[in-house]
Structure formats: C-alpha cells, structure tokens
Amino acid sequence: MLLIARAPVRISFAGGGTDLPAYFMRYGGQVLSVTLNRYVYTILSPAPRAAHLISANYSLFHQYAPDRDAMWDGNLSLPRAILEAFGSPGGIDLFIAAQVPPGTGLGSSGSLAVSMIAALAAWSGWSLSRAEIAELACQIEIERLGMPVGKQDQYAAAFGGLNRIRFDPQGVTVERVHVAPEIRQALERRLRLFYTGQARPSSRILKAQQQATAEEDPQVLRRLHLLKVLVEDMEECLTMGNLDGFGRLLHEAWILKRGLASPISNDFIDRCYAAAREAGALGGKITGAGGGGFLLLYCPENAIERVTEAMTGMGLKPMDVAFDDEGVQVFRVE
C-alpha cells in the first residue's frame, strides 16, 4: 500500500505577527489568508525494517533512530520531531517534497508538518480532526523545537480556503470568508506572485518580532494592532466585492509590516515594489516574514500585463496559482 498526504501552502494578506504567542496571548490575534494549489507532499510506503526519511527539497536522507534526540540543527529536525511524536513507526519509507522552494514565505514548513502528521496518523490508525492535526503541528514546531513561528501556517494548511483565523489564549478559530464566485475568480486573476530569487530563513526576523512584542515595544505593538484591524476591513471589501479597495488595503498593510523589523524588506524588494506600483499595481507585500521569497501583488485587470512585464524585466519569475479549498488530504493507493 502507498499512502499520500498533501497540504497546501498559503499567502496571508494581513495580521501576520499577531499569530505569534507573544502577541495573541495578551491581545488576541487574527489573520486573513488563503491557501494555494501548491502543496507539500508526504508519501509513505512499507520498508523491511527501519524508518527511512528522504527529503527531495534538501536532497537529504535519514534513517530514523528513536533513541536519538530530535533537537538538532538541520533541515530534517522538524520531520524527525514529528516521527518521534508518533513513537517508533516501524518499517516505512517516508518521502517529503514541496512544490515551492523552502524559505520563500508561503508557510511551507507548517504545510510540511500538517502533511506529515496527517500521513502518519492515517498510517498509524489515529483519528485526528483538522484542528487536532494543526494543533499538534504547532506544538511540535513551537514547543518541542522552539521555532519562533506563529500558528497561522498550520491551521491554514489543515483547513484550506479563504479564512479569517483568530488566535487567543482559549484556542484557535477558523472562519471561512464567503465571497461570490465571480469575485473569487476575479481575485484569483488579479493576485500575482513573483519569485524574487531570494530565499531566506524567517527565524531571525520572527525572533526580533517576538522579542519586540514581549518587551512591549510601543511602535511594534501599534503596527500589530493596526494590522489586526485591517483584517476586518479587508474581509469587508472582499465580501462586498470591492476588490480595488482590498488592493489598496494590501498596500497599507505592507507599509505597516515593513516597519516591524528592518530585514523584512531590502533595496531590491523596495525597487521592485515601486516599479509594480508605477505599472499599476494597487498594493502588495513580500510573503511570509519577509526578506525574500515571493512578491505578492494586486493588479486591476487593465494593469496585469504591464505589471507582469515590469516584474519580469527586473528578473522576477511569475508563478501562476489558483486557490485551494480542500486543505490537507490523504489518499490511499493499493
């Protein structure tokens, strides 16, 4: 038997940073995001004896040994920690691969965790809800491994779709944002992703945000409070069909976000964003924590071609995407 699990990556529009425990445990947080039809896959198949872990993205191989500590510095630390959470999995080959490069701001580590947990749960006969899969992924990443990440990626990957996700000390709530089909289709067309060619680990940026939030830096807190409010304004624009208004709010959110920490943007990103705006884009942002990855832009219909030409002229590579509504899925192949 072959078992395949996949979890989508995501783009978030506003509220990033309010999903960090240092913020939402005191103030409550919320994020507006949508998942994309780009996935992180986990493929399980029987093996004679040991558990073998293979990563296509990092070209790495590991033979799992349950007596070794998973707290190590390396690209397979997260998959190893997830294996440990399921105890000794017996003889399996476990292959993981992503349709996006790592470190590009689309939440792929959270998607990896969700995909792998869903696969191992199905393999082990565990019955886990989407919320339980997401929360276990958060526990492993944040508590077990001490990663300076929030909770939005894991819940987005588990549930899929266009959602407002709320965070507070009592738990996480995922609320689907309902928009008319024609508005959704227009939003898919007008949102454009361009790869900057710059991958980066988000840990340094997120650690700085965590520390500033924990120390109650007034400027950081003010920006996070405003980003949280923008989530509601953006949702209202989407439900009312005011897509250009949504695009302008995306610009406001980027101005606020880039002031949270200096590494979030750089000269090249700023030049690309300015060129996109000059070509007609109403708003945009760097995906994820910042510093590289994908540049997300909202373009009115009559500006899509001009913006695309401007970005490709600066060396950025477009990636066509559509929205995903399914979240994590598991398939069995006999």
Side-chain angles (χ1 to χ4, degrees):
M1 180 188 74
L2 193 68
L3 190 147
I4 303 171
R6 73 178 194 185
V9 298
R10 61 92 189 103
I11 49 176
S12 61
F13 302 120
T18 72
D19 64 318
L20 293 170
Y23 182 89
F24 76 73
M25 290 298 289
R26 280 183 285 178
Y27 306 106
Q30 59 181 1
V31 170
L32 182 67
S33 71
V34 68
T35 50
L36 307 176
N37 65 339
R38 294 291 184 272
Y39 303 94
V40 178
Y41 288 87
T42 300
I43 302 175
L44 295 180
S45 59
R49 289 178 296 277
H52 299 111
L53 176 61
I54 305 102
S55 169
N57 294 75
Y58 291 110
S59 300
L60 293 173
F61 170 84
H62 173 71
Q63 181 167 310
Y64 174 74
D67 58 339
R68 293 181 185 172
D69 189 0
M71 297 287 284
W72 66 300
D73 186 17
N75 290 323
L76 289 182
S77 56
L78 176 58
R80 284 185 59 187
I82 295 170
L83 274 171
E84 186 176 82
F86 282 84
S88 178
I92 58 170
D93 281 333
L94 192 152
F95 177 80
I96 52 177
Q99 289 182 296
V100 297
T104 50
L106 298 179
S108 59
S109 68
S111 301
L112 183 154
V114 166
S115 170
M116 194 170 163
I117 288 170
L120 285 167
W123 188 270
S124 305
W126 294 16
S127 179
L128 297 180
S129 67
R130 294 181 185 271
E132 289 170 334
I133 290 171
E135 193 57 34
L136 179 56
C138 291
Q139 289 174 7
I140 293 172
E141 287 197 77
I142 299 171
E143 299 173 20
R144 173 76 175 97
L145 293 177
M147 294 180 174
V149 298
K151 288 191 169 186
Q152 64 161 312
D153 298 350
Q154 302 85 350
Y155 277 85
F159 282 84
L162 175 62
N163 300 302
R164 188 211 293 208
I165 309 176
R166 301 175 186 265
F167 313 90
D168 59 47
Q170 286 70 48
V172 179
T173 305
V174 179
E175 301 174 357
R176 184 61 55 99
V177 177
H178 298 283
V179 297
E182 64 273 16
I183 299 301
R184 172 195 169 101
Q185 292 166 8
L187 183 63
E188 282 185 324
R189 287 195 308 272
R190 298 180 189 185
L191 286 174
R192 297 286 157 154
L193 276 174
F194 298 90
Y195 183 43
T196 65
Q198 302 175 346
R200 84 291 170 270
S202 62
S203 57
R204 186 163 64 96
I205 298 172
L206 292 174
K207 281 180 181 177
Q209 286 188 40
Q210 283 266 45
Q211 183 175 353
T213 305
E215 295 174 354
E216 299 188 356
D217 181 302
Q219 291 301 317
V220 170
L221 286 179
R222 182 184 71 84
R223 290 175 181 272
L224 289 173
H225 294 335
L226 291 172
L227 285 167
K228 184 169 64 174
V229 172
L230 277 176
V231 168
E232 298 175 10
D233 296 338
M234 283 185 172
E235 181 181 6
E236 182 178 1
C237 282
L238 291 177
T239 56
M240 297 295 292
N242 181 10
L243 293 184
D244 285 354
F246 168 84
R248 295 185 182 96
L249 290 177
L250 195 61
H251 173 69
E252 289 186 28
W254 170 239
I255 298 303
L256 288 169
K257 176 181 175 175
R258 72 187 301 279
L260 289 173
S262 57
I264 287 177
S265 190
N266 56 46
D267 290 342
F268 177 67
I269 291 171
D270 288 342
R271 289 199 307 272
C272 291
Y273 187 67
R277 294 264 293 167
E278 187 175 347
L282 294 183
K285 57 170 289 189
I286 281 291
T287 55
F294 285 87
L295 179 61
L296 170 70
L297 296 169
Y298 172 86
C299 310
E301 298 281 352
N302 60 3
I304 292 174
E305 188 173 336
R306 292 197 309 272
V307 171
T308 300
E309 290 176 355
M311 294 299 95
T312 55
M314 298 188 74
L316 274 62
K317 299 177 181 178
M319 183 174 80
D320 293 331
V321 296
F323 297 162
D324 165 274
D325 281 327
E326 303 300 331
V328 65
Q329 293 180 287
V330 178
F331 311 92
R332 295 178 184 271
V333 181
E334 295 298 335

